[in-house]
């Protein structure tokens, strides 16, 4: 009667015998499956609720700024120089909004499995090169030395496009939080089951108690709030690597630097 009423929380004890037990055992297994589905649906609804809340919160600031400065421009009580400054603020906020929406779209697609990762053997050097090339200009501007040690013929099963995105996010943070004249090194090492990619910097470092926090959506440490960013890059990186069967580890010393270790499986099992 409990099953018929939708209560799937009670289960039969294991080890029984007889036809009647087998009949109820089959019903019990169905109830377990229904319970799991119900929990998954509740988790999905909660995740969607949290995502909508996060998106709403993150979009408010740039939209409010654009609205405010647009109204100020319309008032006509400012000099041409001030109007240029307001226009520049609006342009910067529009760029921030575009970046934020793009990041949120990636996050949403990854979380809802709308992205199909094309995992196949490819040269990891090429993927690293593309990620490094995207941060090259910023690193050069800050006179940060970039070094990469990787066998150019090393083949690793991975989705080149999305793995490049994951590595870029880590490298971009490294450049952002490494002082001028610092150094960022990238090294690869082949293990028995994984290929490890170490991205090390001489930046400001991360406190041990925040090792897990930095991978949360929109998390930003208090000491980096003045830096540009929305706190979603490392979250996306972990999602991308995890969906390929890999993982990311971090080790750091405050004031000395940080190493992000990305592990990609050497074998890919097709699902």
């Amino acid at each position: 009667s409990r099953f018929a009423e939708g209560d799937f929380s009670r289960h039969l004890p294991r080890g029984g015998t007889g036809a009647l037990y087998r009949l109820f055992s089959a019903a019990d297994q169905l109830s377990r499956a229904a319970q799991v589905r119900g929990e998954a649906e509740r988790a999905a609804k909660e995740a969607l609720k949290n995502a909508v809340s996060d998106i709403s919160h993150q979009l408010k600031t740039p939209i409010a700024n654009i609205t405010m400065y647009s109204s100020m421009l319309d008032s006509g009580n400012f000099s041409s120089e001030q109007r240029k400054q307001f226009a520049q603020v609006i342009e910067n906020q529009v760029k921030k909004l575009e970046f934020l929406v793009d990041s949120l779209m990636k996050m949403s697609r990854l979380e809802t499995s709308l992205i199909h990762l094309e995992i196949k053997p490819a040269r990891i050097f090429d993927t690293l090169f593309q990620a490094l090339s995207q941060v090259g200009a910023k690193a050069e501007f800050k006179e940060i030395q970039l070094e990469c040690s990787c066998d150019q013929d090393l083949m690793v099963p991975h989705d080149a496009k999305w793995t490049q995105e994951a590595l870029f996010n880590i490298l971009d943070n490294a450049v952002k939080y490494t002082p001028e004249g610092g150094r960022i090194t990238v090294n690869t090492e082949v293990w028995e089951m994984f290929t490890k990619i170490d991205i090390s910097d001489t930046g400001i470092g991360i406190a041990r108690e925040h090792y897990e926090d930095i991978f949360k959506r929109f998390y930003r440490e208090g000491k980096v709030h003045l830096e540009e960013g929305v706190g979603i890059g490392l979250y996306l990186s972990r999602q991308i690597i995890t969906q390929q069967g890999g993982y990311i580890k971090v080790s750091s010393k405050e004031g000395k630097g940080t190493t992000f270790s990305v592990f990609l499986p050497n074998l890919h099992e097709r699902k």
Side-chain angles (χ1 to χ4, degrees):
S1 63
R2 288 179 180 271
F3 295 167
E5 294 170 1
D7 180 2
F8 305 114
S9 60
R10 301 291 294 274
H11 302 293
L12 291 174
R14 297 183 180 276
T17 59
L20 188 60
Y21 178 85
R22 289 197 298 272
L23 176 62
F24 280 102
S25 178
D28 183 60
Q29 291 176 23
L30 289 173
S31 78
R32 289 176 187 270
Q35 185 179 15
V36 170
R37 284 197 298 271
E39 291 172 353
E41 288 176 1
R42 285 193 292 272
K45 288 179 181 178
E46 185 65 24
L48 179 60
K49 177 182 175 182
N50 291 337
V52 170
S53 176
D54 287 338
I55 290 170
S56 175
H57 175 73
Q58 293 295 323
L59 293 178
K60 281 181 180 178
T61 300
I63 291 175
N65 287 337
I66 291 170
T67 302
M68 180 180 69
Y69 282 98
S70 296
S71 298
M72 292 170 69
L73 277 175
D74 287 340
S75 69
N77 298 323
F78 300 96
S79 67
S80 59
E81 184 61 30
Q82 288 175 314
R83 294 173 71 85
K84 286 181 181 179
Q85 292 176 358
F86 295 160
Q88 184 62 53
V89 170
I90 292 173
E91 182 180 350
N92 291 339
Q93 291 300 307
V94 168
K95 289 179 179 178
K96 180 179 180 180
L97 197 58
E98 289 175 344
F99 171 79
L100 183 56
V101 169
D102 182 57
S103 298
L104 292 170
M105 287 294 293
K106 290 175 182 176
M107 180 189 75
S108 176
R109 292 169 66 193
L110 282 167
E111 288 186 342
T112 55
S113 300
L114 291 177
I115 292 174
H116 175 65
L117 297 177
E118 295 287 344
I119 303 174
K120 58 185 179 182
R123 296 200 317 167
I124 196 65
F125 175 84
D126 294 340
T127 304
L128 279 168
F129 178 81
Q130 291 297 323
L132 284 163
S133 66
Q134 293 183 69
V135 300
K138 288 183 180 179
E140 185 176 0
F141 180 77
K142 295 180 68 175
E143 297 183 344
I144 293 173
Q145 186 177 354
L146 292 177
E147 300 175 0
C148 181
S149 176
C150 178
D151 182 351
Q152 294 190 22
D153 296 319
L154 176 60
M155 302 292 286
V156 179
H158 68 289
D159 182 294
K161 175 185 174 182
W162 284 99
T163 303
Q164 174 191 320
E165 170 84 17
L167 296 172
F168 162 74
N169 289 339
I170 298 172
L171 286 164
D172 190 50
N173 273 2
V175 173
K176 191 180 299 181
Y177 302 124
T178 295
E180 293 185 5
R183 186 174 72 257
I184 297 172
T185 60
V186 180
N187 292 291
T188 58
E189 183 180 353
V190 180
W191 290 10
E192 183 176 354
M193 297 183 64
F194 292 89
T195 292
K196 182 177 74 160
I197 303 169
D198 281 340
I199 300 175
S200 304
D201 64 53
T202 56
I204 60 177
I206 303 164
R208 180 177 291 275
E209 59 265 29
H210 295 310
Y211 281 9
E212 283 300 314
D213 294 333
I214 59 175
F215 292 105
K216 295 177 182 177
R217 286 185 303 189
F218 307 119
Y219 174 81
R220 303 197 74 204
E221 275 196 78
K223 63 183 179 182
V224 303
H225 275 179
L226 295 179
E227 295 287 346
E228 182 181 343
V230 295
I232 200 173
L234 292 179
Y235 171 81
L236 289 174
S237 292
R238 173 176 272 188
Q239 287 285 317
I240 292 167
I241 299 303
T242 299
Q243 289 192 27
Q244 297 182 79
Y247 61 99
I248 302 177
K249 292 180 64 178
V250 59
S251 61
S252 183
K253 289 185 178 180
E254 291 188 88
K256 298 291 185 179
T258 302
T259 296
F260 283 89
S261 298
V262 178
F263 294 83
L264 290 169
N266 292 329
L267 294 176
H268 170 60
E269 296 183 1
R270 294 186 178 276
K271 297 181 180 180

